[in-house]
Amino acid sequence: MTRLPDSGRWARIAPILEQALDLGPRERAALLDHACAGDPALRAEIEALLRADAEAGSFLDAPVDLSGLPAAPDAAAAGPGAGAGVAMAGRTIGPYRVVREIGRGGMGVVYEAEQQRPRRTVALKVILGGRHVDPIAVRMFQRESDSLARLKHPSIAAVYESGSTEDGEHYFAMELVQGRTLSRYLEEEGPPETREALRRRLALFRKIAAAVAYAHQRGVIHRDLKPSNIIVQPEPEPRTGTGPGSSGSLDTADAAPDVKILDFGLARIADPDAGPATAVTALGSIRGTLPYMSPEQVRGRRDEIDVRTDVYSLGVLLYRMLTGVLPYDVAGADLPAAARIICEQAPRPLRAAAGGRLRFDHDLAVIARKALEKDPGHRYQSVAAFDEDLGRYVVGQPILARPPSAAYQFRLLVLRHKVPFAAAGIILILLVGFAAFAAVQARRIADERDRANREATTARRVSDFMSGLFQMSHPNAAKGREIKVRDLLDEGTARIEKELADEPEVRARLMHTMGSAYLGLGFHAEAARLIQESYEARRRLLGEDNRETLDAMDDLALIRIHRRQFAESEALYQREYEIRRRVDGEDSPATLNPLEGLAWCYRVQGRFAEEQAIRLRVLEGRRRALGDDDRGTLMAMKALAGSYSIAGRPADAEPLLRQALAGLRRLLGEDHLSTLGVMLELANVCTKEKRYAEAEALFHDGLARMRAVLGEDHPLTLNATNDYAMLFEAQGRHAEAESILRDLLARRHRVAGDDNPETVSAMSNLARVDVALGRYAEAGALQRQALERSRRLLGEKDSDTLGILYDLGCTAALRGDRREALSWLAQAVDKGWAHGDRMATDAGLKSLRGDPRFEAIVAKARANEATPAGGR
């Protein structure tokens, strides 16, 4: 293993090494000739580190290339220190057993390792040095783990767990990625030389951009994007287009190989303590790779480091992917000279850099130049905007980075529709109406331009607003307070209402975004107000048929369900369905979505027959439009099965769930949330059918996977945990159920707060287990708290409120307080409780049977069953 130099020596080595790692052999030699002139020892040290990187791959500075990986070499033959990987085989680090070493560099080592629960093979990344490791290296290592842990994207390597051993070894386990580094891929494939090769190269770049845009949405800025941090996975099977005008070309992102982005060691997580945004640390070592660093990084302007920094790095990356070279020649330049080149020199024109290989369109050169602007304010303001312009270029639409002249846009229109325009041109030459036709076309093009520009402006304003909002988490703004998601939402809502009165489209979009976030957290009153205002504004500004208006209408209908306003919800879903059917067609997925919402509305009301009729209709529609193996069809099966299960027909639900589970495993894999949702629904069905061992196995596997993907406190994880506790309650294993529910209630309090329907439900469930354990006083206290909150949140006549009243009556009866029991039961029935048969047979009410007052209450409950508003 190559030894690390001391900190003073490393300050000289690091800037040169970082530049050399991303250069080819000829450029690398020129750099070392210039940078190490007169110091052969310095050059020898750097060359040793470069050889170590070439032989083993640095896990902290570049991903490990696993394509064609040979067996671990014999220790004696490999030279000093080479046997470390062999000696480590079989050793345990944390919960992982090392299989073999697959990569080693100056700062870290990576092993292929096995995890027992869940059973899988992982890449185990361990920082070298144990308890004596440089604290800066530990901080970068932990930051990479933290960054990756919040990112769940198919093009970003997933992290599973991080920790440290008693011996002070820091590690984290992540997805084991197969493929080539992008550096190696570009060296082997070379620059594109045909139009089809160019489309494939752009499709590959757009997959990288999509992953970076996702990271930005989650508050993570990479800050060290370069080819050696990106894995290109094995090529997919080639597919050709068959639709009109496709000409068999590969023109979509699906035609390109998949990618994985690694190495988030320099990532910034919207937190100044995550590390300096400057280019140089206290030791003077480069943090980032110089040729890919933005001018603001090179200058060390910490306050300017934001998502546009990654836009610049992606611009350099695009330039190299298209031309095979970098936009600036910094080989051989010392650090100050290289910084001046990056900050002051204009990049070589794309066409000149590519030589005679392929003539690039002017639009593509404009896109690349805009991404490489020195001033962040002149660049694309987000990776999404950068990617959108590339998408427009690929399909021949006007790009937003170019001044939108009518002639330019008309030329692109002609290029997109060559055959129709050729025929029309012959006719129009003979017609006097040519001028009128051209005017109409120009007007349409101008309208499209205005719409595109307006949409881009709205998107940019929304992005700027959200970026500013998250500055609340900055320590200077927080002033020692713990900033919660609810705090950010409240602050954002206040700012929208105060600052955006003159920007109605931006205001409407942000209100919908904030309302959806409130809805996801269970704050239904706030969500209802914001989404109602967004819907009304969009209907006024964009029209009722606009898809943004319909999206707001859909969320508004869902909120009405949560607030038990069922008639309003049904009316909204019916209206949305009518519009979408007229605009998109009968079996369009968009048209079927409001039907699924309407079915859910019926389920909450206990109208299972009506729900199932709609679910069957949706399932058949998705089969006709998408086929049996599409995710939408499989999820429609799951929804229908859920209706059967809740209506007391688990035998009808089970075959649908097993079919859906098999299809989703095949289509999406074991760990996809859709797969896990079906697995846990099947566990609930097995519980109802009293196949407890099978149910427990399904819960155990599904919950472990869901926790790994979403974390312990995600609402979906908490819902599944509640169902797991109900499995133990059904078996009479009340102590185990109590332990799970008590922890669940604490998490609900922490995540959603006290005034939330899910917290109220958790209190009710725990109270029922306390009753089963004979803890009547504790149960009654919990039930009274739940009742007070349910009345305030859901209303006096909500079915959940009535259920708590009934539970209070049962608890009082078991405690021997007849008068109190009859009082609670009478309140429940007076407000609509309609389960007379249950009351007559419930073991908890055995002591009341024969009492005329109780029998009168039972009779009234049975009478309620005949009324439409009866509690369910």
Side-chain angles (χ1 to χ4, degrees):
M1 170 182 151
T2 305
R3 292 180 57 84
L4 272 174
D6 60 35
S7 62
R9 188 67 165 166
W10 182 252
R12 290 198 62 196
I13 290 173
I16 305 169
L17 178 63
E18 291 283 357
Q19 293 183 62
L21 281 169
D22 258 337
L23 297 176
R26 185 176 301 174
E27 294 172 301
R28 183 180 289 177
L31 170 67
L32 296 179
D33 288 342
H34 182 275
C36 303
D39 192 343
L42 175 64
R43 179 167 187 152
E45 287 186 81
I46 295 173
E47 288 178 337
L49 290 169
L50 290 169
R51 283 195 300 273
D53 179 80
E55 293 167 359
S58 168
F59 200 86
L60 286 173
D61 291 331
V64 179
D65 187 351
L66 300 177
S67 58
L69 186 70
D74 178 77
V86 177
M88 287 292 294
R91 181 187 164 189
T92 298
I93 299 178
Y96 303 95
R97 186 181 68 81
V98 173
V99 175
R100 60 175 172 173
E101 179 181 315
I102 57 175
R104 179 178 289 262
M107 296 178 64
V109 61
V110 59
Y111 303 103
E112 179 184 343
E114 290 181 347
Q115 182 181 7
Q116 297 303 312
R117 289 188 179 179
R119 190 168 186 82
R120 59 187 170 194
T121 302
V122 303
L124 187 66
K125 185 172 181 178
V126 181
I127 193 168
L128 295 173
R131 67 177 71 250
H132 305 295
V133 72
D134 180 355
I136 293 178
V138 173
R139 192 174 182 182
M140 290 175 63
F141 188 81
Q142 291 172 340
R143 187 186 321 142
E144 179 174 10
S145 173
D146 292 343
S147 302
L148 285 170
R150 65 172 58 195
L151 303 178
K152 308 294 182 185
H153 189 276
S155 294
I156 299 175
V159 68
Y160 301 136
E161 181 187 19
S162 64
S164 59
T165 67
E166 294 180 356
D167 298 331
E169 285 184 303
H170 298 268
Y171 68 86
F172 68 80
M174 63 186 298
E175 179 182 359
L176 188 63
V177 180
Q178 302 286 347
R180 299 177 281 176
T181 64
L182 181 59
S183 296
R184 179 175 164 189
Y185 176 88
L186 295 177
E187 289 172 6
E188 294 175 354
E189 300 291 330
E193 297 185 355
T194 66
R195 302 302 298 178
E196 183 171 318
L198 174 61
R199 285 193 295 270
R200 286 174 54 80
R201 190 59 56 86
L202 290 176
L204 177 64
F205 176 83
R206 293 188 69 197
K207 288 192 173 184
I208 298 168
V212 177
Y214 167 87
H216 289 175
Q217 291 171 352
R218 299 316 187 265
V220 176
I221 305 169
H222 192 287
R223 297 198 299 164
D224 194 22
L225 290 165
K226 58 184 178 180
S228 57
N229 284 342
I230 300 167
I231 287 286
V232 181
Q233 297 187 284
E235 295 271 0
E237 291 295 324
R239 298 190 300 167
T240 58
T242 58
S246 69
S247 70
S249 65
L250 289 159
D251 57 2
T252 69
D254 290 336
D258 290 329
V259 297
K260 291 282 186 181
I261 299 179
L262 301 177
D263 195 1
F264 279 74
L266 297 185
R268 180 176 181 180
I269 316 177
D271 176 5
D273 289 337
T278 181
V280 182
T281 68
L283 294 178
S285 59
I286 292 292
R287 292 303 186 214
T289 304
L290 194 60
Y292 294 88
M293 291 168 66
S294 65
E296 61 267 23
Q297 279 182 291
V298 172
R299 293 188 182 105
R301 293 182 177 174
R302 174 175 180 168
D303 58 335
E304 293 182 9
I305 304 298
D306 58 23
V307 296
R308 296 170 296 184
T309 300
D310 281 352
V311 169
Y312 183 92
S313 299
L314 285 173
V316 178
L317 187 64
L318 176 64
Y319 193 103
R320 180 173 172 186
M321 291 175 71
L322 296 179
T323 66
V325 298
L326 293 166
Y328 311 101
D329 184 6
V330 295
D334 58 20
L335 186 57
R340 281 195 300 273
I341 290 171
I342 291 172
C343 295
E344 300 172 8
Q345 182 176 305
R348 286 175 286 180
L350 203 62
R351 292 180 180 179
R357 300 185 188 95
L358 183 67
R359 283 184 61 83
F360 293 114
D361 296 341
H362 181 61
D363 279 2
L364 189 57
V366 169
I367 291 172
R369 187 167 63 244
K370 186 174 180 67
L372 291 171
E373 286 283 358
K374 309 293 185 186
D375 184 346
H378 293 160
R379 277 178 225 147
Y380 289 106
Q381 296 302 290
S382 68
V383 175
F386 185 6
D387 180 62
E388 180 188 358
D389 245 9
L390 281 173
R392 287 175 166 274
Y393 169 78
V394 168
V395 299
Q397 292 182 346
I399 63 170
L400 301 178
R402 183 170 176 177
S405 69
Y408 159 66
Q409 301 213 31
F410 190 81
R411 178 176 63 82
L412 288 182
L413 184 67
V414 174
L415 288 174
R416 290 203 304 274
H417 306 287
K418 292 180 181 178
V419 174
F421 268 92
I426 296 172
I427 298 170
L428 290 174
I429 290 173
L430 305 174
L431 297 176
V432 179
F434 175 79
F437 175 81
V440 170
Q441 289 298 105
R443 180 67 262 167
R444 289 177 179 172
I445 293 169
D447 289 344
E448 173 64 18
R449 177 201 63 205
D450 293 343
R451 186 206 62 77
N453 288 340
R454 187 173 65 251
E455 175 63 24
T457 300
T458 300
R460 182 170 62 252
R461 287 287 291 119
V462 169
S463 176
D464 292 346
F465 182 90
M466 297 302 291
S467 298
L469 177 60
F470 280 98
Q471 289 299 316
M472 275 188 64
S473 60
H474 190 292
N476 290 336
K479 298 179 180 179
R481 294 181 295 122
E482 179 185 0
I483 302 298
K484 299 180 180 179
V485 175
R486 175 64 188 269
D487 298 328
L488 289 175
L489 293 176
D490 291 346
E491 173 68 15
T493 300
R495 287 183 55 191
I496 290 169
E497 295 173 345
K498 179 180 179 181
E499 299 174 10
L500 300 177
D502 296 332
E503 299 180 73
E505 285 193 47
V506 177
R507 177 187 174 101
R509 180 174 295 187
L510 281 168
M511 282 191 161
H512 191 183
T513 300
M514 291 291 182
S516 298
Y518 275 121
L519 179 60
L521 292 173
F523 301 120
H524 300 143
E526 295 87 343
R529 182 177 65 83
L530 289 171
I531 294 180
Q532 176 77 46
E533 185 168 342
S534 173
Y535 167 63
E536 291 173 354
R538 284 174 166 175
R539 186 171 59 175
R540 184 176 62 255
L541 294 166
L542 307 174
E544 193 174 40
D545 292 359
N546 182 272
R547 284 183 169 79
E548 289 190 22
T549 306
L550 294 172
D551 289 343
M553 183 188 294
D554 193 85
D555 276 349
L556 188 58
L558 179 59
I559 292 171
R560 295 289 184 251
I561 294 176
H562 284 294
R563 306 195 78 191
R564 271 43 180 188
Q565 297 167 343
F566 301 123
E568 294 92 330
S569 177
E570 289 180 39
L572 285 166
Y573 278 131
Q574 291 283 9
R575 180 60 182 153
E576 181 191 353
Y577 171 68
E578 291 168 4
I579 296 172
R580 290 194 187 272
R581 183 173 59 175
R582 171 165 44 81
V583 173
D584 297 318
E586 185 74 33
D587 288 337
S588 164
T591 302
L592 295 175
N593 286 340
L595 288 182
E596 291 188 321
L598 185 60
W600 180 253
C601 185
Y602 288 151
R603 178 186 295 190
V604 175
Q605 297 175 74
R607 296 159 62 180
F608 302 123
E610 293 167 273
E611 179 200 3
Q612 288 155 22
I614 291 182
R615 298 281 188 201
L616 284 166
R617 181 176 167 188
V618 171
L619 177 57
E620 291 308 313
R622 297 220 186 273
R623 277 177 168 151
R624 283 193 301 271
L626 306 171
D628 283 341
D629 292 331
D630 184 85
R631 177 178 176 271
T633 306
L634 296 170
M635 293 306 292
M637 288 182 192
K638 185 234 182 188
L640 177 59
S643 180
Y644 286 149
S645 176
I646 200 170
R649 297 168 57 185
D652 293 328
E654 184 175 348
L656 283 170
L657 289 171
R658 292 196 184 279
Q659 183 180 352
L661 182 58
L664 290 168
R665 279 172 168 163
R666 189 169 57 249
L667 186 67
L668 302 175
E670 290 278 0
D671 293 330
H672 194 278
L673 288 179
S674 296
T675 309
L676 295 176
V678 175
M679 181 187 297
L680 294 167
E681 186 70 42
L682 180 58
N684 284 325
V685 167
C686 290
T687 299
K688 291 181 178 180
E689 295 187 313
K690 300 185 179 180
R691 299 208 306 275
Y692 298 129
E694 183 178 359
E696 188 165 351
L698 286 166
F699 271 123
H700 188 272
D701 187 18
L703 261 175
R705 294 176 186 277
M706 185 169 282
R707 286 167 178 152
V709 173
L710 298 176
E712 291 278 358
D713 291 339
H714 191 278
L716 292 178
T717 307
L718 297 178
N719 290 343
T721 302
N722 180 77
D723 292 343
Y724 191 34
M726 294 302 98
L727 166 66
F728 290 114
E729 184 185 26
Q731 298 175 76
R733 295 160 65 180
H734 302 301
E736 292 165 275
E738 183 214 7
S739 175
I740 296 172
L741 288 171
R742 203 166 291 284
D743 177 70
L744 174 65
L745 179 57
R747 291 181 185 277
R748 292 283 196 199
H749 276 300
R750 184 172 66 252
V751 173
D754 291 343
D755 289 338
N756 186 283
E758 299 296 345
T759 306
V760 174
S761 177
M763 295 171 71
S764 297
N765 290 339
L766 179 58
R768 280 196 289 271
V769 173
D770 279 339
V771 168
L773 292 169
R775 300 172 182 163
Y776 302 134
E778 293 91 329
L782 269 176
Q783 288 164 345
R784 285 182 175 85
Q785 291 181 51
L787 177 63
E788 185 271 328
R789 290 169 183 161
S790 186
R791 280 172 165 164
R792 186 171 66 253
L793 294 170
L794 304 176
E796 289 278 356
K797 297 185 178 182
D798 181 79
S799 58
D800 288 349
T801 306
L802 299 182
I804 298 170
L805 284 169
Y806 177 81
D807 288 346
L808 276 163
C810 292
T811 303
L814 289 167
R815 199 174 60 246
D817 192 331
R818 178 182 295 267
R819 177 180 296 179
E820 183 179 336
L822 291 170
S823 174
W824 290 122
L825 295 173
Q827 288 184 57
V829 171
D830 288 344
K831 290 178 172 58
W833 180 258
H835 298 282
D837 289 341
R838 175 178 170 185
M839 296 177 73
T841 59
D842 195 323
L845 301 177
K846 182 179 179 181
S847 63
L848 301 179
R849 289 184 198 133
D851 187 315
R853 292 170 295 175
F854 176 68
E855 300 302 333
I857 292 171
V858 172
K860 186 172 182 179
R862 286 178 169 143
N864 285 344
E865 295 177 19
T867 64
R872 290 179 169 85

